[in-house]
């Protein structure tokens, strides 16, 4: 038990203590320092954030005998995941209160799901990947089923649990085959052991890669492993939908990077072909089916599928003819795209929760009619967010799409870039339809919108960031590029 270096895992340790503190505060029926349980959760969340910031700029650290990795890429993705969880909980305050969900288990499960994501992001061993994945997934399954008296919510939770368990099985089976082929679970040792594999072991390894990519595609929600996404997005409470749509994708990207670009770089030609098929199918089916949706959450689910297709584009275009010279730029483009998408998604679902009230879910496109007259501030933020999802300048979504397309063109796959642009044009139709509904349709709901001042202020900041990072994307793009390059170098 040498080289433990427990201090490298301080953010996760503090987050575990914070989640337990929230549970204890709920049992005692009062928040820490006299605050309610929601504010307590946000306050204790500051501790792991400070620990991550304290590690920023330091060389990559390994802990627990190489099973844990703390590097720049992990720091950036962890901060993004913490911010996503905090913003989701702020947006959800009035929504959860109206539905009887403003209880300790909501906030404790959100923190435990975040802990699972952080473990996945820093995993240096396949067992740690699975440990983090199950901690995150089980917490989200429970959150999806919190409204026990709501039949649609219960149905969505069952579907999420069954198909999520299937995805976990795919991943675990793939990991076992990779272990059978290479004789190790350590991600750093897998790449070193691939050089002298016997033909039989090499075949076992390839089968393991197939199952592993399928499991990751399930977690991403990529076609043809997308069947759970629309039903879960539509059926679960909006706060749970937002938590499913944001942080888990960041964690899955980190796992994909560490396994595919790190450990399995020697069989890149095999997993690249799989990612190519997943990407094309996701962009085509996601965008075409989203056009026909009338439920806003369901439309955003198919939109998420299409957006993941773009993320996969960058992931598959980094290696050309066995050369890894463009790998760092391509994966950093995907990382930038995913961070931009999560930021935009937070605002979109935030608008929906701020529009909801007791007994009414603002989850249909028709609910947005006349929002420009009912609440001009919310309407303008929604406009910025839809422009970003559509990739219209000067929002962050435009530069995210541009960076991925550049990586694809640099890899010589011009036809794929052309297809991506065409699918983006299809996607622009249903995003701009939302803008038209907000500003040009007559309102059907005349109830006054009175969101909590704190949530409305955070939503304004959210929209401003989407616009500001579109006008000045350089700092975030450089941050992602430097983080990925360090991860490759480490």
């Amino acid at each position: 038990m040498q080289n433990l270096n427990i201090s490298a895992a301080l953010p996760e340790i503090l987050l575990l203590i914070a989640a337990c503190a929230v549970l204890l505060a709920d049992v005692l029926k009062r928040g820490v320092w006299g605050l309610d349980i929601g504010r307590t959760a946000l306050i204790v969340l500051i501790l792991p954030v400070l620990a991550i910031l304290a590690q920023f700029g330091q060389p990559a650290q390994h802990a627990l005998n190489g099973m844990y990795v703390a590097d720049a890429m992990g720091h950036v993705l962890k901060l993004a995941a913490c911010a996503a969880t905090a913003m989701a909980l702020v947006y959800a305050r009035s929504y959860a209160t109206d539905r009887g969900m403003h209880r300790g288990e909501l906030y404790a499960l959100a923190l435990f799901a975040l802990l699972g994501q952080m473990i996945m992001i820093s995993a240096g061993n396949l067992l740690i990947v699975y440990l983090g994945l199950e901690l995150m997934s089980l917490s989200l399954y429970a959150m999806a089923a919190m409204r026990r008296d709501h039949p649609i919510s219960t149905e969505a939770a069952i579907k999420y649990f069954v198909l999520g368990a299937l995805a976990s099985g795919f991943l675990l089976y793939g990991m076992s085959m990779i272990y059978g082929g290479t004789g190790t679970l350590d991600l750093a040792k897998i790449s070193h052991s691939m050089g002298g594999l016997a033909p039989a072991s090499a075949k076992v390894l390839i089968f393991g890669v197939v199952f592993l990519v399928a499991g990751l595609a399930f977690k991403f929600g990529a076609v043809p492993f997308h069947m759970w996404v629309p039903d879960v997005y539509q059926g679960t409470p909006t706060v749970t939908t937002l938590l499913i749509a944001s942080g888990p994708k960041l964690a899955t990207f980190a796992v994909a990077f560490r396994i595919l670009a790190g450990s399995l770089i020697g069989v890149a030609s095999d997993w690249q072909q799989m990612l190519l098929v997943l990407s094309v199918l996701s962009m085509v089916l996601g965008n075409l089916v989203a056009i026909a949706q009338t439920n806003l959450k369901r439309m955003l689910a198919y939109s998420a599928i299409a957006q993941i297709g773009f993320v996969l584009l960058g992931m598959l275009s980094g290696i050309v003819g066995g050369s890894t010279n463009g790998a760092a730029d391509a994966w950093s483009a995907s990382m930038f795209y995913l961070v931009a998408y999560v930021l935009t998604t937070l605002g979109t679902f935030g608008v929906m929760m701020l529009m909801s009230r007791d007994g009414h879910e603002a989850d249909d496109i028709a609910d947005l009619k006349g929002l420009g007259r009912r609440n001009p501030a919310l309407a303008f933020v929604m406009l910025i967010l839809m422009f970003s999802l559509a990739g219209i300048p000067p929002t962050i979504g435009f530069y995210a799409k541009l960076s991925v397309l550049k990586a694809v063109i640099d890899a010589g796959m011009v036809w794929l870039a052309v297809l991506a642009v065409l699918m983006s044009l299809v996607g622009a139709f249903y995003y701009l339809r939302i803008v038209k509904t907000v500003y040009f349709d007559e309102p059907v709901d005349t109830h006054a919108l009175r969101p909590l001042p704190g949530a409305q202020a955070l939503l304004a900041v959210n929209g401003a960031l989407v616009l500001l990072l579109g006008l000045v994307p350089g700092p975030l793009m450089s941050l992602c590029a430097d983080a990925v390059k360090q991860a490759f170098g480490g």
Side-chain angles (χ1 to χ4, degrees):
M1 294 297 291
Q2 297 177 354
N3 302 319
L4 290 180
N5 193 20
I6 296 296
S7 62
L10 186 60
E12 285 79 5
I13 294 171
L14 290 175
L15 181 56
L16 175 60
I17 295 172
C20 293
V22 170
L23 280 175
L24 183 60
D26 184 51
V27 170
L28 296 175
K29 301 300 182 185
R30 66 177 186 271
V32 179
W33 302 310
L35 299 175
D36 68 23
I37 200 68
R39 293 192 179 95
T40 300
L42 293 174
I43 289 173
V44 297
L45 189 53
I46 296 173
L47 298 176
V49 171
L50 293 177
I52 297 169
L53 291 174
Q55 295 178 348
F56 236 88
Q58 297 181 9
Q61 299 183 68
H62 295 266
L64 306 176
N65 295 305
M67 300 179 77
Y68 176 94
V69 181
D71 57 8
M73 187 191 76
H75 298 154
V76 173
L77 290 176
K78 286 178 190 177
L79 283 177
C82 288
T85 301
M87 292 172 70
L89 295 180
V90 172
Y91 289 145
R93 183 174 179 82
S94 60
Y95 178 92
T97 302
D98 291 341
R99 286 151 187 81
M101 296 172 59
H102 184 60
R103 304 191 300 269
E105 52 263 40
L106 171 67
Y107 299 96
L109 287 170
L111 294 181
F112 278 118
L114 175 60
L115 178 60
Q117 294 160 26
M118 291 173 63
I119 292 173
M120 290 171 66
I121 289 170
S122 285
N125 185 287
L126 291 176
L127 285 180
I128 301 301
V129 169
Y130 194 72
L131 175 67
L133 174 69
E134 288 305 291
L135 178 57
M136 176 190 76
S137 298
L138 291 172
S139 301
L140 292 175
Y141 298 155
M143 291 184 70
M146 282 189 69
R147 297 188 69 186
R148 295 185 296 273
D149 58 342
H150 198 276
I152 297 177
S153 214
T154 304
E155 178 188 351
I158 293 173
K159 289 179 180 178
Y160 187 32
F161 172 71
V162 172
L163 293 174
L166 180 63
S168 298
F170 268 71
L171 275 171
L172 192 60
Y173 193 54
M175 290 174 183
S176 67
M177 297 185 80
I178 290 174
Y179 175 71
T182 62
T184 180
L185 293 170
D186 190 280
L187 296 181
K189 294 178 181 177
I190 289 174
S191 59
H192 295 307
S193 63
M194 290 175 58
L197 290 181
S201 297
K203 289 181 181 179
V204 171
L205 174 65
I206 296 302
F207 274 108
V209 173
V210 171
F211 280 100
L212 193 72
V213 171
L216 291 173
F218 259 110
K219 293 304 178 182
F220 268 135
V223 178
F225 307 103
H226 68 291
M227 64 287 295
W228 62 273
V229 180
D231 291 338
V232 171
Y233 271 49
Q234 182 179 1
T236 54
T238 305
V239 56
T240 306
T241 308
L242 179 51
L243 290 169
I244 293 171
S246 51
K249 288 182 169 54
L250 298 170
T252 305
F253 172 84
V255 170
F257 175 85
R258 298 201 188 279
I259 296 178
L260 299 181
S263 301
L264 299 175
I265 198 76
V267 291
S269 58
D270 296 294
W271 55 256
Q272 274 182 308
Q273 296 175 37
M274 290 182 270
L275 293 187
L276 176 62
V277 174
L278 293 172
S279 175
V280 171
L281 290 177
S282 298
M283 288 190 296
V284 173
L285 187 140
N287 281 308
L288 292 180
V289 179
I291 294 175
Q293 306 306 312
T294 57
N295 183 276
L296 182 58
K297 290 169 73 174
R298 202 170 183 87
M299 188 209 82
L300 290 173
Y302 283 106
S303 163
I305 294 169
Q307 301 285 354
I308 286 300
F310 253 93
V311 173
L312 295 175
L313 280 182
M315 294 166 60
L316 67 90
S317 59
I319 302 170
V320 183
S323 172
T324 59
N325 292 334
D329 290 336
W331 281 81
S332 64
S334 281
M335 181 176 167
F336 176 77
Y337 191 100
L338 196 55
V339 172
Y341 166 72
V342 168
L343 179 64
T344 308
T345 298
L346 286 166
T348 306
F349 283 98
V351 170
M352 293 173 60
M353 282 192 279
L354 266 59
M355 289 183 64
S356 299
R357 61 180 186 277
D358 189 12
H360 176 71
E361 295 277 346
D363 59 357
D364 278 329
I365 294 177
D367 292 321
L368 297 173
K369 288 184 176 181
L371 180 61
R373 303 178 194 176
R374 297 173 63 199
N375 192 313
L378 287 183
F380 184 66
V381 171
M382 196 65 171
L383 179 144
I384 293 174
L385 298 171
M386 291 300 105
F387 277 16
S388 181
L389 289 173
I392 298 174
T395 60
I396 189 175
F398 169 75
Y399 289 97
K401 281 184 165 59
L402 188 64
S403 61
V404 169
L405 291 174
K406 181 180 181 300
V408 174
I409 293 172
D410 289 344
M413 294 181 283
V414 178
W415 69 271
L416 194 54
V418 172
L419 176 64
V421 171
L422 291 176
M423 289 300 101
S424 293
L425 292 175
V426 174
F429 169 79
Y430 56 83
Y431 292 128
L432 294 178
R433 182 180 63 185
I434 299 296
V435 176
K436 174 258 181 189
T437 302
V438 166
Y439 280 100
F440 298 103
D441 287 3
E442 292 293 328
V444 294
D445 189 348
T446 57
H447 284 84
L449 294 175
R450 297 188 180 92
L452 294 176
Q456 189 164 6
L458 180 61
L459 186 64
V461 172
N462 196 159
L465 283 174
V466 169
L467 190 58
L468 181 62
L469 290 174
L471 293 169
V472 189
L476 182 57
M477 294 180 75
S478 298
L479 186 65
C480 293
D482 293 341
V484 170
K485 286 175 182 176
Q486 189 199 85
F488 268 112

